[in-house]
Amino acid sequence: MPDLTEFIRGMPKAELHLHIEGTLEPELRFALAERNGIPLPAASVGEIRASYAFNDLTSFLAAYYEGMEVLQTAADFRDLAWAYLQRAQDEGVRYAEIFFDPQAHTSRGVAFGTVIGGLRQAMQEAWRRFGLRTQLIMCLLRDQPASYGMATLLEALPYRDWIVGIGLDSDEKGNPPEKFARVFQRARAEGFGVTMHCDTDQENSVEHIRQCLEVIGVDRIDHGVNVLESPELTAELRRRGLGLTICPISNRWCAGDTKAGQVKQLLDLGIRVTVNSDDPAYFGGYVTDNLIEVQRAARLQEEELLRLERNAIEIAWLPAGIRDRYLAEIDEYAAAAGPGGS
Ligand code: ADE
Ligand code: ZN
């Protein structure tokens, strides 16, 4: 098996499952805590890193929400996003759809406009400086009431041109997709793309995937590897050409296994599966690390790696002309570096 690490590093990439708050590295958390006069529960960056010892979604989410308390001003959100975007540029990310969790901030008294305004500044800068294209997906917190989700959707409408889609994240236990049926019906009517987390190995994962398809009518599913437990739902996903945004290193922390074998199975079945980083500052791996892990564990070939990136562009919420340009970029890379290339 040839070493494909350099092939992966050079590949043009797209990332569709990345929580911007999950890119808050301990170093920046420290700097922002100092800037805003906020005490931290740890004395050093090393101590913070050592405290990230999750074994499921709930223990991860506790650290994730605690971490974001240092985010207060538009400049904080700009700095957070800028740090990620520089990293993404270094890794060859050409396009990213970025999740943000406004309710995790508005519930602490930080205004919606402060959050999105700061993120947007960094996104525009990345476009100007690097030609790195990004769009925002607003996630609603599923462990909050549906009425709060609806209120947040309405609050976002003045910013509709800055938001491409609506997602659903946070603690899945006892919070099925159908709880948010009306909110997502409205989101769709307003013209947003629609996606939802069906986290790996949750209680009722398969039932939640069924609701995503049959009740909500999602455009794609975040995580969703448990679809393989249902041949009927797998066939339906394939029939509709829907994609899954899988996050291998996140899976290792929250479900005890990267599920690399399932990525390979889904590829073989012709499902539009993609590989993403989820919350890289907490799980310790950006998108390249995730691709390398899966490639090694499932012994993926160059063509399969290229397929993962083509899948991401095919399921991205982009106009056809722009989509085709990114697909052509992948083709060019394949011709130059792939089998038969130099
Ligand atoms: N919030 C941030 N990352 C998440 C994940 N992987 N699942 C659910 N909620 C999240
Ligand atoms: Zn996620």
Side-chain angles (χ1 to χ4, degrees):
M1 186 78 196
D3 182 4
L4 296 184
T5 306
E6 287 314 308
F7 182 83
I8 292 170
R9 286 197 203 288
M11 220 170 35
K13 302 172 186 71
E15 179 145 57
L16 304 181
H17 187 152
L18 180 279
H19 301 262
I20 199 66
E21 295 91 344
T23 68
L24 179 61
E25 293 285 350
E27 288 81 0
L28 182 59
R29 189 172 161 196
F30 253 86
L32 297 183
E34 197 167 324
R35 185 153 98 187
N36 294 322
I38 293 172
L40 283 182
S44 69
V45 163
E47 227 179 271
I48 291 195
R49 282 223 162 79
S51 74
Y52 293 169
F54 326 111
N55 52 14
D56 57 14
L57 181 59
T58 309
S59 52
F60 156 68
L61 287 170
Y64 172 75
Y65 291 120
E66 187 179 29
M68 62 179 84
E69 282 167 18
V70 300
L71 298 166
Q72 298 282 337
T73 67
D76 299 341
F77 286 94
R78 183 196 62 214
D79 292 352
L80 172 72
W82 183 241
Y84 164 69
L85 291 165
Q86 284 177 287
R87 178 77 188 237
Q89 166 68 8
D90 288 347
E91 296 206 5
V93 174
R94 302 289 298 125
Y95 175 68
E97 288 176 7
I98 298 175
F99 292 135
F100 73 118
D101 279 332
Q103 294 169 313
H105 313 301
T106 54
S107 61
R108 300 183 286 117
V110 180
F112 191 100
T114 299
V115 178
I116 198 167
L119 297 176
R120 176 95 181 156
Q121 279 179 41
M123 291 162 65
Q124 287 181 314
E125 185 76 13
W127 175 246
R128 270 198 304 271
R129 283 220 219 165
F130 310 140
L132 169 50
R133 185 187 300 273
T134 55
Q135 302 198 84
L136 284 173
I137 300 174
M138 179 177 82
C139 278
L140 301 173
L141 303 183
R142 69 199 308 158
D143 44 0
Q144 296 290 330
S147 56
Y148 185 22
M150 184 65 95
T152 301
L153 177 62
L154 299 180
E155 195 175 3
L157 291 182
Y159 303 94
R160 63 191 316 148
D161 292 348
W162 295 2
I163 299 171
V164 71
I166 308 297
L168 187 72
D169 65 358
S170 204
D171 200 347
E172 192 161 332
K173 191 171 164 54
N175 296 297
E178 65 186 8
K179 172 178 167 186
F180 292 88
R182 280 192 53 242
V183 183
F184 279 78
Q185 199 177 21
R186 177 70 186 263
R188 180 175 294 296
E190 296 288 348
F192 293 108
V194 166
T195 186
M196 286 185 168
H197 278 56
C198 291
D199 267 275
T200 307
D201 293 350
Q202 296 295 295
E203 187 179 278
N204 300 328
S205 276
V206 174
E207 167 59 15
H208 289 182
I209 292 167
R210 187 194 68 75
Q211 290 181 16
C212 276
L213 296 179
E214 293 177 9
V215 181
I216 308 296
V218 293
D219 298 303
R220 61 187 191 228
I221 294 177
D222 300 310
H223 300 288
V225 291
N226 295 91
V227 75
L228 284 166
E229 293 162 32
S230 163
E232 294 77 24
L233 292 177
T234 303
E236 185 58 17
L237 207 62
R238 185 181 162 163
R239 196 185 64 74
R240 294 192 203 178
L242 299 187
L244 300 179
T245 64
I246 292 182
C247 308
I249 298 178
S250 162
N251 283 338
R252 193 171 57 222
W253 284 98
C254 295
D257 184 322
T258 62
K259 309 288 181 186
Q262 284 85 336
V263 171
K264 165 84 173 138
Q265 253 181 291
L266 289 158
L267 276 170
D268 289 347
L269 288 166
I271 304 276
R272 286 181 163 140
V273 62
T274 67
V275 165
N276 310 269
S277 68
D278 209 2
D279 301 283
Y282 290 88
F283 299 132
Y286 285 78
V287 68
T288 305
D289 306 310
N290 276 276
L291 286 161
I292 290 171
E293 286 246 0
V294 174
Q295 188 275 322
R296 289 188 183 158
R299 303 172 76 81
L300 299 187
Q301 311 283 325
E302 290 171 350
E303 262 316 314
E304 292 168 308
L305 292 163
L306 294 165
R307 182 77 253 157
L308 290 170
E309 297 311 318
R310 289 195 182 103
N311 285 346
I313 295 298
E314 283 169 9
I315 67 169
W317 291 325
L318 284 169
I322 296 175
R323 179 198 320 281
D324 289 348
R325 265 187 267 149
Y326 287 117
L327 289 173
E329 226 180 281
I330 297 171
D331 289 346
E332 278 164 34
Y333 182 74
S342 57

